[in-house]
């Protein structure tokens, strides 16, 4: 049975309910099909990484439908607003600094102090975002390291039942992902070439854009990952017998845990809790610091271990 649906009014309403409740909806944009989830529900964001078999938590693009909603999670300035008004809706993504209202989006932003945002130029995508009433994070709707999907059938072939609903909007008109521009610094930096030409951006800004030579699928400075959270306290990983007085974050059957990432050893639940629990641990730990139970190196465990290894590094 296929989970591809016509994007009529009833089905769009149902898709929005799925997003609101933390499920996954694949939807058309002008660039590629996105695998959408509610950006403010960590468990829903974790479900994206699981469905895609992504080994790390890449930061995801938040899709919005109204310019006003930018202020709900990022800091803006006149340059950001001017770029948005000129290039949105369209295949253009801006990296901006997050504001203090965006804590629920920690996982969506992979722990970075920045968020990437775009307003897609597709009526179905825009209507879905409006009806959902939240930013929708959406990487391309395919398994990791496979080709991005530009039809609903591509999505079904790659993800099948891993997605709750696929909205069919026909073929994507642009077919390559959005251009990503980091405007957190004085000079804008191109992080990924895409649907909007660099020349058009430079012409609009009347100035040069720097080109990032980092890996395109990694944030501009990977060392920055989780630095935001690099805990203030000593942080040990792979601990099964915590010392007395240590703040212990358990997993599965761990005994004496102050918090347990997932008592049932569910890695998706653990991923969803990770950033929030690390914040709490860092607030509540004493001088003995924080310890975390071993996390299996399978499925989302790879991404969790990657992040906690960075966080434990001194
Ligand atoms: O066209 C598109 O942008 C599509 C459609 C579905 O909208 N989405 C898409 O998402 O291509 P994704 O997850 O495949 O690519 C997002 C890219 C990644 O390379 C990620 O590292 C980068 O954006 N990115 C996201 N947030 C970032 C941030 N805060 N700083 C630096 N890079 C960021
Ligand atoms: Mg992709």
């Amino acid at each position: 049975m296929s989970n591809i649906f016509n994007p009529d009014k009833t089905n769009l309403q149902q898709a929005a309910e799925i997003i609101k409740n933390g499920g996954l909806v694949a939807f058309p944009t002008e660039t590629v099909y996105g695998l959408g989830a509610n950006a403010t529900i960590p468990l829903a964001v974790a479900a994206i990484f699981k469905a895609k078999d992504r080994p790390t938590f890449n930061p995801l693009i938040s899709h919005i439908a109204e310019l006003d909603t930018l202020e709900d999670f990022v800091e803006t300035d006149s340059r950001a607003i001017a770029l948005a008004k000129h290039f949105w809706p369209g295949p253009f993504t801006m990296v901006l600094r997050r504001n203090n209202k965006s804590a629920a989006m920690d996982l969506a932003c992979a722990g970075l102090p920045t968020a990437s945002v775009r307003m897609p130029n597709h009526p179905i995508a825009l209507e879905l975002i409006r009806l959902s009433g939240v930013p929708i994070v959406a990487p391309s709707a395919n398994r990791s390291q496979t080709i991005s999907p530009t039809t609903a059938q591509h999505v079904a072939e790659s993800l099948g039942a891993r997605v709750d609903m696929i909205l069919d909007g026909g073929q994507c008109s642009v077919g390559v992902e959005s251009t990503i521009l980091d405007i957190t610094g004085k000079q804008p930096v191109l992080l990924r070439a895409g649907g909007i030409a660099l020349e058009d951006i430079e012409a609009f800004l009347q100035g040069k854009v720097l080109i990032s030579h980092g890996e395109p699928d990694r944030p501009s400075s990977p060392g920055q990952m989780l630095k935001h959270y690099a805990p203030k306290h000593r942080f040990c990983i792979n601990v099964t017998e915590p010392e007395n007085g240590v703040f212990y974050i358990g997993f599965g059957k761990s005994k004496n845990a102050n918090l347990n990432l997932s008592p049932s050893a569910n890695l998706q639940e653990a991923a969803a809790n990770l950033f929030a629990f690390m914040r709490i641990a860092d607030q509540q730990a004493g001088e003995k610091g924080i310890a975390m139970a071993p996390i299996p190196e399978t499925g989302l465990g790879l991404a969790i271990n990657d992040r906690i290894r960075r966080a434990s590094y001194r």
Side-chain angles (χ1 to χ4, degrees):
M1 206 196 73
S2 163
N3 53 355
I4 300 180
F5 290 78
N6 257 337
D8 60 23
K9 212 171 157 205
T10 315
N11 289 336
L12 269 166
Q13 278 290 1
Q14 198 196 327
E17 287 309 311
I18 293 172
I19 294 285
K20 283 187 209 166
N21 295 322
L24 299 182
V25 175
F27 61 95
T29 80
E30 78 280 36
T31 60
V32 299
Y33 274 71
L35 179 60
N38 187 330
T40 67
I41 303 180
L43 198 56
V45 178
I48 287 184
F49 295 109
K50 186 160 186 241
K52 284 182 67 86
D53 292 327
R54 261 201 187 173
T56 56
F57 298 140
N58 298 43
L60 301 176
I61 298 172
S62 293
H63 296 70
I64 61 170
E66 316 287 344
L67 198 49
D68 302 350
T69 57
L70 258 186
E71 261 103 54
D72 294 346
F73 58 104
V74 289
E75 307 280 354
T76 58
D77 56 22
S78 55
R79 180 176 59 174
I81 299 296
L83 281 163
K85 284 190 169 156
H86 189 75
F87 290 109
W88 285 353
F92 176 70
T93 297
M94 286 191 291
V95 175
L96 296 160
R97 258 171 232 296
R98 291 167 60 187
N99 66 22
N100 57 15
K101 288 183 272 182
S102 67
M105 288 168 65
D106 279 348
L107 187 57
C109 300
L112 292 169
T114 55
S116 56
V117 200
R118 92 172 181 104
M119 188 189 292
N121 187 16
H122 197 292
I124 296 167
L126 292 172
E127 191 58 17
L128 177 65
I129 300 162
R130 282 195 196 103
L131 291 171
S132 305
V134 289
I136 297 182
V137 278
S140 49
N142 55 301
R143 294 202 196 191
S144 234
Q145 308 197 329
T146 64
I147 297 167
S148 293
T150 51
T151 65
Q153 284 70 28
H154 293 164
V155 179
E157 283 160 20
S158 188
L159 295 176
R162 292 179 174 211
V163 50
D164 297 309
M165 191 173 188
I166 302 170
L167 292 170
D168 192 349
Q171 180 122 26
C172 300
S173 59
V174 175
V176 295
E177 283 94 343
S178 60
T179 300
I180 305 181
L181 191 70
D182 181 337
I183 55 164
T184 55
K186 200 162 176 235
Q187 190 157 10
V189 182
L190 182 81
L191 299 184
R192 179 175 77 184
I196 295 282
L198 176 62
E199 293 83 350
D200 292 346
I201 298 171
E202 290 186 328
F204 179 74
L205 291 172
Q206 301 187 344
K208 277 276 168 210
V209 165
L210 296 174
I211 315 266
S212 161
H213 292 289
E215 290 174 62
D217 272 328
R218 282 249 150 195
S220 44
S221 47
Q224 208 186 356
M225 289 286 220
L226 255 189
K227 203 167 175 187
H228 198 42
Y229 300 108
K232 294 193 293 287
H233 291 90
R234 191 164 77 109
F235 178 58
C236 299
I237 57 178
N238 292 320
V239 176
T240 47
E241 313 257 322
E243 254 184 274
N244 264 342
V246 164
F247 190 102
Y248 187 49
I249 303 177
F251 176 81
K253 295 203 159 58
S254 300
K255 290 190 196 73
N256 303 322
N258 297 80
L259 289 171
N260 193 314
L261 286 169
S262 173
S264 65
N266 175 325
L267 288 165
Q268 188 183 333
E269 182 185 23
N273 286 330
L274 179 66
F275 287 129
F277 283 13
M278 284 177 62
R279 281 180 189 239
I280 296 170
D282 213 22
Q283 278 157 10
Q284 299 188 358
E287 60 186 44
K288 293 268 174 71
I290 308 163
M292 191 179 284
I295 307 294
E297 188 76 0
T298 55
L300 285 187
L302 269 67
I304 295 172
N305 283 322
D306 170 71
R307 288 302 174 274
I308 62 178
R309 234 175 267 128
R310 288 173 199 273
S312 69
Y313 188 78
R314 294 264 129 169

